[in-house]
Amino acid sequence: MRSDPQLLSRIANEDRAAFHLLFERHSERIYRFALSITRRPHLAEEVLQETMMAVWKGAKRFKERSKVTTWILGIAKNQAYNLLRREARGERLPETEDRVSDPAGDAELSVQMERALDALPEAQREALHLVFYEYLSVKETAELLGIPEGTVKSRMYHARQNLAKELA
Amino acid sequence: MMTCERVREWLPWYVTGSIDFEIAARITAHLRDCDACRTEFVEIAQLRHRFSAAVVEGSTPKARVWKRLRAESPDANDVRIDLGSFLIGLRLGIAAREHRPKIHGDLRICGRNVRIIGKKKGA
């Protein structure tokens, strides 16, 4: 099985089979990360598409000193904030009905969590996602977000406090 | 011995296991003797569980996005055949476009590709 860096080097030579494999491996994590930041499925879908397009066009620029996952999630983060900025400036029409929701399972708990996450600042949601869902270390999270390790820890601290307050 | 403040700073990464073994061992030693930090540890573990459960809910629009990506990467090959070496060789690419195959070929000389069959890239 080819490693992610091997796939990227093939993608740099316009190999679509390699691109498809990388898409299969990472699309779900990109989508869920984007959803954690944007909280809107239609925006997360657009982030996934734009991120993979950026990977297709920029595969040559990947430097092996970082992990492919970290590199891709970094692109996804930038794409998500670009879209949110464009929406805030009125360059895109927001789709008001398109919110994250899940009617299945423990409905009440789920709704409570969704509301709590909606109330958090985007920066805290993205930190929670990278640490709790992607299992990134302090160092990897700091690298991906481009912030000092101390800021990662304090962001996680405030995210936890705010989330616990919202869930209480 | 780590202070409670230091331990709590690291607890989210202790819960996920994304932490150096040496720091994890010091936190384990601290938790053995500190009720307050142990309570905090349990709370964070529960929070992580609920957060992850919320993240994994719902399906992803993978198929739809892939279809659009295929349409937006016109230079991509579905099948590629490389002959020769890095210095001199031939690359043949076949891509399916709206039910018709598109074939192109590049002659490789000293690592540089020159299109000899099909349209030039971006043309």
Side-chain angles (χ1 to χ4, degrees), chain A residues 125-137:
Chain A
R125 279 202 304 265
E126 76 183 359
L128 281 171
H129 186 97
L130 294 173
V131 175
F132 280 167
Y133 188 72
E134 287 295 339
Y135 289 20
L136 295 194
S137 67

Side-chain angles (χ1 to χ4, degrees), chain B residues 31-83:
Chain B
L31 291 181
R32 216 176 289 138
D33 302 323
C34 180
D35 286 345
C37 285
R38 222 168 28 238
T39 305
E40 180 104 359
F41 164 72
V42 172
E43 282 171 6
I44 292 174
Q46 285 169 343
L47 201 60
R48 189 205 70 79
H49 177 74
R50 285 186 68 181
F51 180 86
S52 297
V55 170
V56 294
E57 286 162 355
S59 59
T60 66
K62 215 162 86 170
R64 204 164 48 228
V65 172
W66 176 247
K67 207 173 157 188
R68 288 203 297 265
L69 281 170
R70 267 180 69 104
E72 282 192 25
S73 51
D75 290 327
N77 302 315
D78 290 305
V79 178
R80 198 178 71 179
I81 302 159
D82 274 307
L83 302 167

